[in-house]
Amino acid sequence: MTWLYAKLKKSASIVLATTLIAGLAAGCSNSDNGKGGSATPSAETSPSASPSPSSAGSSGDKITIRFAYNWTGADPKASYFEGKLKEYEAKHPEISFKFEATPGEEHRTKIKVDTTAGNLPDIFTYWLGPVNLKPLVDANEILDMDEYLSKSGTVKKEQYTDIAWSFFDIGGKKYGLPLEAFKGFFMANRELFQKYNLEYPKTYDELTQVAKVFNDNGIVPFSMGSKNGQPSHLFFSYLAYQFQNGFDDAQKIPQTYQYDTDAVRKAAQAVAQMKADGIFPSDTVANGDWGPQLSLYNEEKAAMVYEFPWMIGNVKQEIVDKSDLIDFPALEGSVVDPSSYTIGAVAMGLLINRKSFEDPAKQQALVDFADFINSDEVLGEVAKGGLFPAKQMELDPSTLSPLYAKAMEFTKNQNVWPHHESYVPDSNAYSVILSSLDELFAGFVSPEDYVSKTQKALDKAK
């Protein structure tokens, strides 16, 4: 059974969206989110501009709370989330809020720079897993969330499953509050397939036949690119898990440091074969990252695409109307039904600066603000922009986009398996994996060289 799923059950005007986190996939232990948007927000787009951080007491007797987040810019969740931030700020004139909004992957860079400079925000959103959290834990920068939970009046441990918590577990302690979950789904443009009398492919041979027809007519068969591993790292894990022991091997990486497995080798070979067969855009780097990848599909220059919740709000409604959600074809030599699982995880969490929390002047304000961010009110509002809440909660179906509801329904019975990023324990090694994926998808390195290069990075991290 699945450990991450979303049910849409009608109960009057409410659906139960227990919201991706419930149950446990057999054998499952433990952006990547926030990719939507690339434009840096102006002072007008974020709730309050703060070109330089302030310390407590800088506004008279007010305390100052710095909150850094990446649901901003062109991210479909931005307007809903930032609207709620403005409301909260207006209700709390006793606090001087400094909202530091950096879109997508820029946020990761900002937090790394702030950490190096000893200037970490008081509270901030961030990604899961040891590759992201361990450097902050090793530097003793972030709070064990049990300390926050002991002070919170509304947020309880049992509102999240053990699996959701596991993504923030470092050495047996929880260093983040699960905030946003995700599941991937494949879409196909129904009208393009009908135009050329094509059926959705079920096997790799059928995929190559479909690709030939689309290429002959100037249409990219499948919009998949790789720019710093986006979004290819998610697709690569999806491919690897089709093969014998693919997912099992991934889960063992924290102990084995072994990325070079038979499943990873076969996935790399599959990527090279798809490149040769014209499945991808000819320039996978230019069509990498989330915006360019979806753009091809939105413009009907691509027949199929692989998407995630943070991009739901960017899919044109007229394209949603002519799209079906489909299963990706089974690869040659695969042993796991690709329709039986999807790639997903808890993507983002809320982290608290340990030193800030230990400041008596700030502690209660941080607790109250974290309670607010994780409230049903805020998460339900941001769900309108495509958020899949990690917390078990109810959502009003009338407020959700049709594609959101369709994705939840399509994936509800699938096992949800985390991608390799959830397991690789070293940030430098994972950076090598991402950059090497760019080379693999572009055809600049062979599958063998890709595997060798990435394994050497993990060997160095031991």
Side-chain angles (χ1 to χ4, degrees):
M1 61 180 176
T2 61
W3 61 261
L4 264 176
Y5 73 96
K7 279 186 179 178
L8 289 178
K9 273 188 179 177
K10 289 186 179 180
S11 174
S13 64
I14 299 294
V15 288
L16 180 64
T18 61
T19 335
L20 295 184
I21 310 285
L24 177 65
C28 179
S29 55
N30 182 41
S31 261
D32 221 81
N33 199 335
K35 283 91 174 175
S38 58
T40 302
S42 65
E44 289 75 26
T45 58
S46 58
S48 69
S50 56
S52 61
S54 303
S55 59
S58 61
S59 301
D61 292 328
K62 289 186 177 184
I63 61 168
T64 297
I65 298 296
R66 290 174 55 215
F67 173 52
Y69 63 94
N70 66 340
W71 294 343
T72 190
D75 189 320
K77 299 183 292 294
S79 62
Y80 301 102
F81 185 61
E82 292 180 334
K84 285 297 179 183
L85 289 182
K86 289 178 182 177
E87 289 180 14
Y88 192 83
E89 183 179 30
K91 291 177 181 177
H92 293 273
E94 76 281 6
I95 301 173
S96 177
F97 282 102
K98 302 297 180 183
F99 294 117
E100 300 173 5
T102 46
E105 288 294 317
E106 292 178 33
H107 181 66
R108 194 190 306 268
T109 301
K110 172 203 164 39
I111 295 301
K112 289 180 178 179
V113 170
D114 284 354
T115 303
T116 301
N119 188 38
L120 199 65
D122 298 303
I123 184 168
F124 56 101
T125 60
Y126 207 54
W127 287 268
L128 65 106
V131 69
N132 295 304
L133 299 179
K134 196 170 185 301
L136 293 168
V137 173
D138 289 346
N140 199 23
E141 293 279 4
I142 53 177
L143 185 72
D144 175 355
M145 296 308 286
D146 278 340
E147 295 188 44
Y148 156 72
L149 291 170
S150 70
K151 304 289 185 182
S152 173
T154 59
V155 178
K156 307 298 180 184
K157 181 180 178 180
E158 56 269 22
Q159 292 172 322
Y160 310 85
T161 66
D162 289 343
I163 285 295
W165 284 119
S166 73
F167 289 102
F168 300 93
D169 188 297
I170 305 291
K173 295 183 178 181
K174 300 178 285 291
Y175 287 96
L177 190 65
L179 191 61
E180 179 177 13
F182 69 91
K183 296 195 289 186
F185 51 93
F186 294 88
M187 292 196 297
N189 186 310
R190 183 188 326 109
E191 291 188 1
L192 285 177
F193 273 84
Q194 291 173 345
K195 180 177 180 180
Y196 298 105
N197 298 313
L198 297 170
E199 300 289 334
Y200 297 141
K202 301 293 185 184
T203 67
Y204 188 75
D205 282 343
E206 292 176 359
L207 178 62
T208 58
Q209 294 168 20
V210 163
K212 185 179 186 307
V213 174
F214 281 131
N215 280 317
D216 287 346
N217 288 277
I219 296 168
V220 173
F222 176 50
S223 184
M224 174 52 60
S226 186
K227 187 173 182 180
N228 195 30
Q230 307 292 349
S232 62
H233 71 296
L234 294 155
F235 181 59
F236 188 86
S237 292
Y238 181 83
L239 297 180
Y241 296 165
Q242 284 198 28
F243 298 106
Q244 187 73 43
N245 298 323
F247 181 48
D248 290 341
D249 289 340
Q251 294 177 88
K252 296 174 184 176
I253 290 175
Q255 292 77 42
T256 65
Y257 279 69
Q258 192 68 28
Y259 185 71
D260 181 359
T261 65
D262 185 60
V264 165
R265 285 180 170 269
K266 286 180 177 177
Q269 291 164 2
V271 169
Q273 189 63 53
M274 287 187 216
K275 175 73 174 175
D277 289 338
I279 308 296
F280 306 140
S282 57
D283 189 338
T284 53
V285 175
N287 291 287
D289 214 344
W290 295 94
Q293 181 234 12
L294 178 58
S295 179
L296 280 177
Y297 188 75
N298 260 339
E299 295 169 6
E300 298 191 82
K301 294 178 180 179
M304 294 175 285
V305 71
Y306 188 35
E307 285 304 344
F308 287 80
W310 49 83
M311 296 302 291
I312 283 176
N314 289 328
V315 183
K316 294 179 180 178
Q317 186 55 50
E318 61 266 30
I319 299 300
V320 173
D321 293 341
K322 60 180 69 174
S323 293
D324 292 325
L325 271 59
I326 65 169
D327 296 316
F328 196 79
L331 300 175
E332 294 180 4
S334 65
V335 298
V336 180
D337 180 358
S339 69
S340 68
Y341 67 93
T342 183
I343 297 299
V346 174
M348 298 291 289
L350 191 68
L351 279 59
I352 298 176
N353 183 318
R354 181 187 60 81
K355 291 180 181 177
S356 299
F357 190 82
E358 291 173 354
D359 181 348
K362 287 189 174 185
Q363 186 176 104
Q364 191 58 52
L366 285 171
V367 169
D368 292 344
F369 186 63
D371 287 353
F372 166 74
I373 294 296
N374 286 275
S375 66
D376 287 5
E377 173 192 354
V378 171
L379 296 179
E381 181 71 8
V382 183
K384 297 175 184 178
L387 173 81
F388 280 23
K391 186 173 79 170
Q392 300 178 80
M393 58 179 289
E394 293 180 342
L395 295 174
D396 182 348
S398 68
T399 67
L400 306 178
S401 75
L403 182 56
Y404 184 114
K406 188 183 294 187
M408 293 177 82
E409 178 66 21
F410 188 84
T411 60
K412 70 179 182 180
N413 293 321
Q414 293 178 327
N415 291 316
V416 184
W417 292 344
H419 51 318
H420 285 84
E421 184 181 1
S422 302
Y423 304 110
V424 174
D426 181 77
S427 59
N428 291 328
Y430 200 73
S431 293
V432 172
I433 291 174
L434 293 178
S435 61
S436 299
L437 281 170
D438 292 356
E439 297 172 334
L440 176 66
F441 275 77
F444 295 157
V445 298
S446 68
E448 294 75 20
D449 287 343
Y450 166 77
V451 174
S452 175
K453 184 176 181 179
T454 52
Q455 184 57 52
K456 285 178 181 178
L458 268 171
D459 290 341
K460 186 177 179 181
K462 285 183 180 179

